[in-house]
């Protein structure tokens, strides 16, 4: 169709469906839609699941084909619940891509690394070949969606493909899928709330457990994740305010660096700030109330001069060595955290718009960075392997592959703070 020419007979149904979708999307823009879902007793072969919107959705009791729009949480949970073989389509290209990073050194050398990827590629290699129905910045392809004949579609709002639950594209997407008669489960990530809370991820896991009739497994998964966060919380809750170090979640964004900025930071009322202040009991060095990925110049970073810096995924992966040694960050070498080697990195998380099952890793890294003495008994490299084994039921060799995929092997090779 894009290049003109005749329409093949096999495409007629898809074209009709696409036209219906466009009509439904337009109706959604003017306040129309499909109305509330019937919450009466399900018919034979269906059961009711209440999603994050509070909408009661009739899903098949036997699910064989699932399409997701999520950057990894839904798909990772499906692996953990043992139902990932039902995945037939994805809504994030970041799950399928391979990644590299590099940075220049003062002596003219270059650090180059490869092998980073979304851990789904290790856990469920078939995701590499699944068709994409959507990706960040691109509207859903409804012809592809309908051709996959899904039993259920699961959208996670707050992911990079659907970043807000309130914007026009999100509402059009929801209305269009529902107009096709496809059971639709909508999840709200913590980003969808004014006050993010990690317990909200447990709510998402519980809904997925209901969708796949894996409620007990979902409960065990959520409880394990929460137990790892509780461990950090208990160990730091007696830290007095005067003892709390300042922690900056810093994104060494090449996109913004080429525009003259030093990088990005996460302010208050973000999930990252919740981790720092409510779980680790430290202070977020960036006190702005303006949210995620706020652009800061070199002077602003130097003025903050945090005690601890934790590098996050920001238009690429950034190891501690980049801040220590990269030529273009020479002006930041006077920061206390850099001088004292109080810099650590969160795991590589491509399309990191919303936290995933690995959120306890972020908490532990922040805790180790902020309070190395209190967590000296935690060998981060080994702790990571135990985490992967407990969440995904993998063996040690696979756990090591997961650690490498998230570019966390630095904590084994050259991190004096890691245990």
């Amino acid at each position: 169709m894009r290049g003109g020419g005749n329409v093949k007979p096999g495409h007629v149904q898809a074209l009709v469906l696409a036209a219906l979708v466009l009509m439904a999307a337009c109706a959604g823009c003017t306040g129309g839609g499909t109305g509330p879902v019937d919450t009466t007793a399900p018919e034979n072969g269906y059961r009711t699941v209440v999603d994050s919107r509070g909408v009661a959705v009739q899903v098949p009791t036997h699910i064989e084909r699932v399409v997701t729009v999520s950057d990894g949480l839904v798909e990772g949970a499906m692996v953990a619940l043992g139902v990932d073989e039902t995945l037939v389509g994805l809504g994030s290209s970041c799950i399928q891509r391979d990644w590299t990073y590099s940075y220049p050194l003062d002596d003219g050398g270059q650090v180059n690394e490869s092998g980073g990827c979304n851990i789904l590629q290790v856990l469920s290699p078939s995701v590499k070949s699944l068709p994409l129905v959507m990706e960040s910045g691109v509207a859903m392809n409804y012809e592809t969606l309908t051709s996959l004949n899904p039993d259920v579609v699961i959208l996670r709002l707050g992911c990079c493909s659907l970043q807000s639950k309130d914007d026009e594209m999100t509402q059009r997407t929801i209305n269009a899928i529902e107009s096709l008669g496809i059971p639709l489960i909508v999840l709200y990530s913590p980003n969808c709330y004014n006050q993010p809370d990690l317990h909200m991820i447990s709510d998402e896991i519980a809904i997925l457990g209901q969708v796949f009739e894996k409620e007990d497994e979902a409960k065990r998964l959520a409880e394990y994740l929460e137990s790892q966060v509780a461990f950090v919380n208990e160990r730091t809750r007696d830290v007095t305010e005067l003892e709390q170090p300042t922690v900056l979640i810093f994104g060494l964004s090449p996109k913004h660096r080429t525009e003259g900025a030093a990088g990005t930071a996460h302010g208050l009322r973000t999930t990252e700030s919740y981790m720092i202040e409510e779980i680790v009991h430290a202070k977020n060095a960036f006190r702005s109330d303006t949210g995620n990925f706020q652009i800061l110049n070199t002077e602003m970073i130097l003025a903050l001069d945090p005690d601890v810096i934790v590098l996050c995924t920001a238009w690429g992966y950034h190891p501690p060595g980049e801040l220590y040694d990269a030529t273009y960050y020479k002006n930041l070498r006077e920061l206390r955290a850099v001088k004292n080697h109080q810099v650590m990195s969160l795991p590589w998380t491509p399309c990191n718009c919303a936290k995933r099952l690995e959120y306890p890793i972020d908490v532990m890294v922040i805790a180790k960075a902020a309070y190395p003495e209190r967590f000296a008994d935690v060998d981060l490299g080994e702790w990571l392997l135990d985490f992967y084994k407990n969440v995904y039921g993998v063996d040690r060799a696979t756990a090591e592959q997961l650690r490498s995929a998230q570019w966390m092997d630095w904590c084994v090779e050259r991190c004096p703070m890691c245990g």
Side-chain angles (χ1 to χ4, degrees), residues 263-274:
T264 62
H266 295 259
L268 307 175
R269 296 175 62 181
T270 62
T271 307
E272 288 76 9
S273 189
Y274 175 87

Side-chain angles (χ1 to χ4, degrees), residues 71-73 76 94-95 97-101 113-123 225 275 310-314 316-320 344-365 380-389 391-392 394 397-414:
D71 297 317
L73 177 128
C94 287
I95 292 176
R97 292 174 59 186
D98 298 315
W99 308 81
T100 63
Y101 72 84
E113 292 288 347
S114 60
C117 64
N118 188 300
I119 62 172
L120 266 297
Q121 292 189 34
V122 176
L123 294 166
L225 299 178
M275 289 178 169
V310 177
L311 303 178
C312 64
T313 296
Y317 175 73
H318 309 284
M344 294 179 72
S345 291
L346 299 180
W348 168 233
T349 313
C351 286
N352 66 326
C353 294
K355 295 300 178 185
R356 305 171 197 169
L357 297 188
E358 295 75 42
Y359 73 85
I361 301 178
D362 291 4
V363 171
M364 182 58 76
V365 170
L380 186 56
E382 289 298 316
W383 182 90
L384 283 164
L385 299 184
D386 288 339
F387 177 85
Y388 297 132
K389 289 189 284 187
V391 171
Y392 296 111
V394 297
T398 304
E400 290 175 346
Q401 292 180 49
L402 294 172
R403 188 175 64 191
S404 296
Q406 292 204 289
W407 273 323
M408 287 297 288
D409 287 338
W410 61 266
C411 72
V412 180
E413 299 165 356
R414 51 188 179 273

Side-chain angles (χ1 to χ4, degrees), residues 170-189:
T170 297
Q171 294 307 312
R172 283 204 309 266
T173 303
I174 289 172
N175 291 338
I177 295 172
E178 290 183 335
S179 75
L180 294 171
I182 303 171
L184 173 64
I185 296 292
V186 177
L187 301 178
Y188 288 172
S189 74

Side-chain angles (χ1 to χ4, degrees), residues 21 33 66 93 145 151 161 169 192 200-201 212 281 287 308-309 388 398 407 412:
V21 164
V66 179
S93 62
L145 176 66
D151 297 316
S161 296
M169 186 171 80
C192 294
M200 296 163 182
I201 295 178
F212 296 105
H281 298 104
R287 307 305 295 175
V308 174
I309 292 176
Y388 297 132
T398 304
W407 273 323
V412 180

Side-chain angles (χ1 to χ4, degrees), residues 124 294 413:
S124 186
Q294 300 304 303
E413 299 165 356

Side-chain angles (χ1 to χ4, degrees), residues 289-307:
D289 202 28
T290 50
N292 294 304
F293 295 109
Q294 300 304 303
I295 301 170
L296 303 182
N297 60 32
T298 298
E299 290 72 23
M300 295 169 72
I301 297 294
L302 291 172
L304 289 175
D305 196 18
D307 298 309

